[in-house]
Structure formats: structure tokens, C-alpha cells
Amino acid sequence: MLSVILPAYNEEKMIRKASDVIDRILSSEGIAYEIVFVNDGSKDRTWEEIEQAARENSHVTGVLFSRNFGKEAAMLAGLASASGDCCAVMDCDLQHPPETLVEMYRLWEQGYEVIEGVKRTRGKESAVHRASAGIFYRIISKAVKIDMSRASDFKLLDRKAVDALLSMPERNVFFRALSSWIGFRTTSVEFDVQERTEGESKWSTWSLVQYAVKNIVSFSTVPMQCVTVAGVFVFLLAVVLGIQSLVKYFSGHAVEGFTTVILLILMIGSIIMISLGIIGYYIAKIYEEVKGRPRYLISKKIGGTTMKR
Ligand code: UDP
Ligand code: MG
């Protein structure tokens, strides 16, 4: 059986559409399936819609979060409550075309364990967005050592891969990269990002910046090593300037150079503060991990006859 996991945050208009389309496509292909909606603390009627869909279609199940925990948490909760032999994760705004699910499923039948959806085109985006996404993915690709520039959260995972992902103890999960990091027999399927038909994207520029920083930190310690590199540069500068000052002192021209002093204090001061900030961020993340709070809290589960766990 294939479990399709759909994280949903304020998607009241899409629940019905998504379950209908997926139902139609998978039924006509004769693929046994269940649909797991995870309501990530929506403020609209999303949960009522999920309940309604579950009443009408026994393949539909729902998980209700106690508040908004974010998409990564919602995807993991969906995977945890899915009982399929393979699980697909996709956006419930149908920007990931459900037709591709069939293609992915066929590849799974051929023995692939991780089938990644890669974006052929990125859909409509502003130039700034595209450029910053480019920088972000270059850094992340270096950290994971896999090309992530066209990666998405649209994936189909074998039960083995799902269990591997769920056994990761870390709180701060970057699903897109972690599902590549686990390895297994991997292949990819290209798809075109569709236009959103209803509702709006939940991402503001600021939330994307936070997302980028959080995920770079969760996968790489390079920012902290930059601190050391900056320290080495400042030290070299100090040696050169130190020698120059001593030469000036001994040759009797030591009074000038107040501007240099001010500049040096400003420069070194700011490097130290930025460095402390970077280290502080890592410490904050360690603190979060050490607290070991659950990634999400579930207040309710509903679901069809296929629900086993
Ligand atoms: N989503 C979620 N929790 C959040 C934000 C988004 O579960 O806090 C879901 C959302 O309902 C959708 C998917 O994640 O199914 C992708 O979100 P969105 O379409 O806003 O992102 P975009 O497609 O613009 O990257
Ligand atoms: Mg979307």
C-alpha cells in the first residue's frame, strides 16, 4: 500500500480537491493507497474539511496538531502515522503534480527505495527569490555533498527509508536534505512546479531567511569555521600593523595614526561580535536539541479503516 502524506496549514479549499484528485488518479491506476492529512495548527476550517473527507472516503485519515509546528514536523508526523509499504510526501496545494505519484510508485515497484521529485522548472518566482534560493542550495549541496539545487519535498520513500528517517534523534529536521543523506537505492523523477490555485504561499521573505539559516546550521559547521578564518586574517593584519607601529615608534614618528586606531577597533569589534553571534546560534541549537522536547504534539487522530497505528 502507498501512503500519501499531505501537510496542511490553512488549506481549507485544497483538502477536498487534493483528496479527490489523488483518489481518482490512484484508483484508476489500481494502486492501493491511504491519504494522511496532517493539520499543522490551521486557523481556518482545514480540520473540518479533513474530517469531512475522512467520513466520505475510508482511505483518508487525519492527524491534528495541537498548534502550528511547521511543515517539517508535519511531514514526520504523517510518516509516523502512515502504515504503507511506501510513503509519498507532497504539498497539499497540488503544486506537486499528483500524476507524478504514479511514476514514482512504478519506480518503487522496480526496487528503488528513495524516489526524489526534482524540479524541472521552479514555477513563478521573483528574481531576488531565485538568486537567494540559488545561494542557499549551493551551501546546502556542499554540506550534504549531493546536488540539491532542484530538490523538493516531493518524495516517495520505501518503508526502510521511512523507518531510518523516523529513527533520527535530532529535533531540527531538514527533511529535504536528510532524505538524501540516508542513502538507499535512489533515483529521481522530474516534475514541473504547478501554480497554486487556491490560498497563498505561507512563506514570507523573512521566514525564508530563517529557514535557510536554520537548515544550513543543522547540516554544516562551516559558519563556525569562518570564525577561525576571520581570526587568522585579523591576526595576520595585527602582525603587519604591529611591525609598522614599532618601526614608526623607534624612528620617532609615533604620534599620527589615530584614524587607524579607530578603524581597527571598529573592525575587530564587529568581527568579534559577529563571531559570537554565530557561535551563539549553534549553542542555541544545541540547547534546543538537549532539551529533547517532542517535535510535535498530536491532539487528535481520525481515520479510515486502513489506520493501523
Ligand atoms: N505547510 C505546513 N505548515 C506550515 C507551512 C506550510 O504544513 O507551517 C504546508 C502547506 O499547507 C503546503 C506545504 O506545506 O501543503 C507547502 O507550503 P506552501 O505552499 O506555503 O509553500 P511553497 O509551495 O510556497 O514553497
Ligand atoms: Mg505551495
Side-chain angles (χ1 to χ4, degrees):
M1 183 178 66
L2 164 68
S3 302
V4 184
I5 289 127
L6 300 134
Y9 176 57
N10 295 347
E11 303 277 8
E12 54 182 4
K13 295 200 182 101
M14 291 312 301
I15 300 296
R16 199 42 195 276
K17 280 193 190 173
S19 62
D20 284 353
V21 170
I22 294 169
D23 176 67
R24 180 166 49 73
I25 292 175
L26 294 183
S27 306
S28 71
E29 290 284 332
I31 299 171
Y33 73 95
E34 68 170 352
I35 298 178
V36 184
F37 281 110
V38 183
N39 180 11
D40 187 10
S42 303
K43 294 183 179 60
D44 60 3
R45 291 182 40 78
T46 303
W47 182 245
E48 284 77 4
E49 288 290 328
I50 296 174
E51 282 181 323
Q52 180 70 22
R55 265 197 297 276
E56 286 167 19
N57 184 344
S58 62
H59 297 292
V60 175
T61 67
V63 176
L64 175 65
F65 274 4
S66 62
R67 64 168 169 86
N68 180 264
F69 282 96
K71 187 183 175 190
E72 313 285 321
M75 291 189 286
L76 287 173
L79 289 174
S81 76
S83 48
D85 307 306
C86 59
C87 300
V89 180
M90 63 188 281
D91 283 2
C92 96
D93 54 11
L94 294 181
Q95 283 188 295
H96 297 156
E99 295 78 18
T100 311
L101 272 181
V102 178
E103 208 178 316
M104 289 176 156
Y105 187 81
R106 299 292 173 225
L107 284 166
W108 174 75
E109 285 181 324
Q110 289 168 26
Y112 288 100
E113 289 156 335
V114 176
I115 297 114
E116 318 232 11
V118 293
K119 298 172 187 166
R120 188 181 296 133
T121 51
R122 289 189 57 99
K124 264 194 195 154
E125 276 175 343
S126 71
V128 179
H129 187 129
R130 197 176 293 259
S132 34
I135 297 171
F136 168 64
Y137 281 115
R138 217 167 304 146
I139 298 174
I140 278 289
S141 304
K142 277 253 163 65
V144 195
K145 299 187 179 68
I146 297 167
D147 178 25
M148 299 268 307
S149 59
R150 298 189 300 151
S152 72
D153 284 334
F154 188 19
K155 297 178 195 273
L156 191 143
L157 305 166
D158 182 69
R159 178 50 47 198
K160 262 188 276 178
V162 172
D163 289 342
L165 270 181
L166 291 176
S167 68
M168 304 269 160
E170 62 204 82
R171 306 288 108 198
N172 205 336
V173 182
F174 182 31
F175 182 75
R176 207 171 282 197
L178 210 54
S179 55
S180 304
W181 181 89
I182 55 171
F184 292 106
R185 213 175 146 211
T186 305
T187 185
S188 57
V189 168
E190 289 198 333
F191 71 94
D192 290 307
V193 177
Q194 308 292 308
E195 287 276 324
R196 198 181 233 287
T197 48
E198 300 282 354
E200 53 192 30
S201 173
K202 274 87 201 170
W203 295 99
S204 64
T205 311
W206 179 234
S207 65
L208 280 173
V209 171
Q210 287 177 312
Y211 177 80
V213 171
K214 193 184 88 194
N215 291 322
I216 289 170
V217 166
S218 90
F219 253 95
S220 159
T221 52
V222 170
M224 254 203 291
Q225 286 150 19
C226 293
V227 173
T228 318
V229 174
V232 170
F233 269 117
V234 174
F235 177 73
L236 291 178
L237 198 70
V239 170
V240 173
L241 283 176
I243 291 171
Q244 193 217 23
S245 310
L246 282 177
V247 168
K248 275 198 176 170
Y249 178 78
F250 286 116
S251 57
H253 310 284
V255 199
E256 297 162 48
F258 194 54
T259 319
T260 324
V261 173
I262 292 174
L263 286 180
L264 278 179
I265 290 176
L266 287 177
M267 201 175 75
I268 295 172
S270 52
I271 291 179
I272 289 175
M273 279 197 262
I274 293 171
S275 307
L276 282 178
I278 296 173
I279 297 168
Y281 195 87
Y282 277 92
I283 295 177
K285 288 295 155 198
I286 296 171
Y287 178 54
E288 273 173 28
E289 296 285 336
V290 164
K291 277 192 286 187
R293 290 202 181 140
R295 295 179 182 126
Y296 50 80
L297 292 170
I298 292 174
S299 71
K300 212 175 182 182
K301 275 188 176 186
I302 46 161
T305 47
T306 47
M307 199 85 169
K308 288 188 196 96
R309 273 180 272 163

